[in-house]
Amino acid sequence: MKRAVPDQTNRTNSTAVEIRLPASTSNLGAGFDCFGLGLKLYMTIRATALPFSRTVCRVRTISGEENAILPRTAENLIYRAMAYTAKREGVSLAPLRLAVHNEIPITRGLGGSAAAIVGGIKAFGLLHDRRLTDDQILRYATEFEGHPDNVAATLLGGFVVTCTTLDKVIALRRNWPLELKIVVVSPAMQLETKLARLALPRLVSHADAVHNLQRTALFNAALSENRPDLFWEAMKDRLHQPKRQTLIPGLADALALPKMTGLLGLALSGGGPSVLAVANDNFEEIGKRIADCFHKRAVPTVVRRLDVDNEGCQTKVLRAAGRQASGY
């Protein structure tokens, strides 16, 4: 009698894995949908395979008031990203348990969804022994997220420039100078990315397009030549920030703040509502001045001074069949 061959598509090589993903900001003003920057604020996901479980996904969140609203079932974004990748890879997704420790504020323009998506794709690859390349991960994540800037910064860390072609996502990264810090002011309101994008016009003027093209080129040149003094002009945007000011009380005043000691540039973080400043000094005063623009509208804020994460996504195999655990 011929012996049956086990179905390898359901096999999970690793019993448990852990993925740490940085927050991210995107656009940096003029670099709409092409600039991303990793930030030292983290989501950590522990995924454990439960091959004999009758529940496809169980989720536990650790700390964070905002995290209490996250789905505890297969509706969770991390699991949905895993399921999407499994389908693209032609693999049956094994039941699993997710434990999520998340420091990234939700729907604040700091890449929480991008971290969840990249984390889900990474977890799938590790648990199912699929050696996904960075190019594959970026392609799947961009298909799922809709734009590559945040997912590339979360995956690769540092300052990332992305370009989407017909068949792939190009991402080039470089280390961000350690002396340049990011001050992020998050107003106590949530803004869904879909809503922020609905505020954008389908057509833009030639003058506005040229304005942004010049400044994205200037930003890259300033970074390459160590000229952060040029960021003030290079971060001026006409494509998305003016349209989103009506959605975020206090944003117009924050972006109109004058130069001050240490302040190198101002921008909306991603789709908002957080505002970021690139700075090299006077961080506390810069954060206070931005926050005051929201406080005048009776909107509370959280101010964070963040370093840039130059490492990107880090993984750790906690228990593996037939090999030693390894990781960051």
Side-chain angles (χ1 to χ4, degrees):
M1 180 181 294
K2 186 176 181 180
R3 187 174 65 179
V5 178
D7 180 7
Q8 294 296 309
T9 61
N10 264 328
R11 181 177 63 83
T12 55
N13 184 65
S14 302
T15 304
V17 298
E18 188 170 283
I19 305 102
R20 189 185 71 172
L21 306 115
S24 60
T25 185
S26 60
N27 303 329
L28 296 173
F32 182 63
D33 274 6
C34 62
F35 286 175
L37 189 65
L39 300 174
K40 286 191 175 182
L41 195 66
Y42 296 98
M43 176 184 294
T44 302
I45 302 166
R46 179 173 295 188
T48 304
L50 304 173
F52 302 108
S53 174
R54 295 183 179 181
T55 303
V56 295
C57 179
R58 287 179 283 174
V59 182
R60 179 169 63 95
T61 57
I62 305 168
S63 77
E65 292 182 7
E66 291 181 290
N67 298 323
I69 66 174
L70 296 176
R72 301 292 200 276
T73 64
E75 292 300 310
N76 188 279
L77 184 58
I78 298 167
Y79 182 82
R80 288 194 287 120
M82 294 182 73
Y84 177 84
T85 309
K87 184 177 180 180
R88 291 287 273 109
E89 289 287 304
V91 173
S92 298
L93 188 60
L96 59 104
R97 179 177 64 242
L98 297 173
V100 184
H101 176 68
N102 181 32
E103 301 173 344
I104 307 172
I106 299 167
T107 59
R108 294 295 200 279
L110 291 172
S113 62
I117 291 165
V118 173
I121 296 170
K122 275 283 192 179
F124 163 81
L126 291 169
L127 286 176
H128 291 79
D129 200 24
R130 310 290 281 201
R131 299 185 183 279
L132 301 176
T133 66
D134 285 348
D135 286 345
Q136 288 175 301
I137 294 168
L138 279 175
R139 185 170 72 252
Y140 292 158
T142 302
E143 289 172 0
F144 196 90
E145 173 79 328
H147 49 96
D149 40 11
N150 286 101
V151 295
T154 291
L155 177 65
L156 303 174
F159 173 69
V160 185
V161 179
T162 58
C163 175
T164 306
T165 72
L166 290 176
D167 59 354
K168 64 179 178 179
V169 178
I170 300 169
L172 297 177
R173 73 165 299 281
R174 61 172 297 163
N175 284 339
W176 182 262
L178 296 177
E179 66 274 14
L180 301 183
K181 312 298 182 182
I182 306 298
V183 178
V184 178
V185 179
S186 300
M189 60 175 290
Q190 294 183 334
L191 182 61
E192 296 285 348
T193 301
K194 290 182 180 179
L195 179 61
R197 285 188 172 268
L198 285 174
L200 303 181
R202 291 190 175 184
L203 299 176
V204 299
S205 72
H206 180 272
D208 289 346
V210 171
H211 177 278
N212 272 49
L213 283 170
Q214 289 177 338
R215 281 149 187 81
T216 54
L218 179 61
F219 191 96
N220 272 297
L223 194 59
S224 295
E225 297 299 317
N226 193 26
R227 291 288 307 276
D229 57 296
L230 297 177
F231 285 178
W232 186 261
E233 185 59 40
M235 292 174 68
K236 300 295 185 183
D237 163 76
R238 288 187 187 174
L239 294 185
H240 66 106
Q241 291 180 170
K243 305 299 181 183
R244 288 167 168 168
Q245 289 178 2
T246 59
L247 303 176
I248 307 169
L251 174 60
D253 291 342
L255 295 180
L257 285 171
K259 289 184 178 181
M260 67 184 82
T261 300
L263 178 60
L264 300 172
L266 288 162
L268 184 65
S269 182
S274 297
V275 172
L276 72 87
V278 180
N280 60 7
D281 195 6
N282 201 27
F283 309 112
E284 185 174 347
E285 178 63 19
I286 291 169
K288 181 180 182 301
R289 292 285 297 277
I290 298 172
D292 284 345
C293 297
F294 296 105
H295 297 165
K296 291 175 182 177
R297 305 296 185 94
V299 179
T301 61
V302 175
V303 180
R304 298 175 174 89
R305 190 185 83 175
L306 300 173
D307 290 323
V308 169
D309 179 285
N310 280 315
E311 301 300 324
C313 175
Q314 302 290 302
T315 62
K316 180 189 297 182
V317 176
L318 301 177
R319 294 190 299 277
R323 55 179 174 171
Q324 295 294 318
S326 61
Y328 60 85

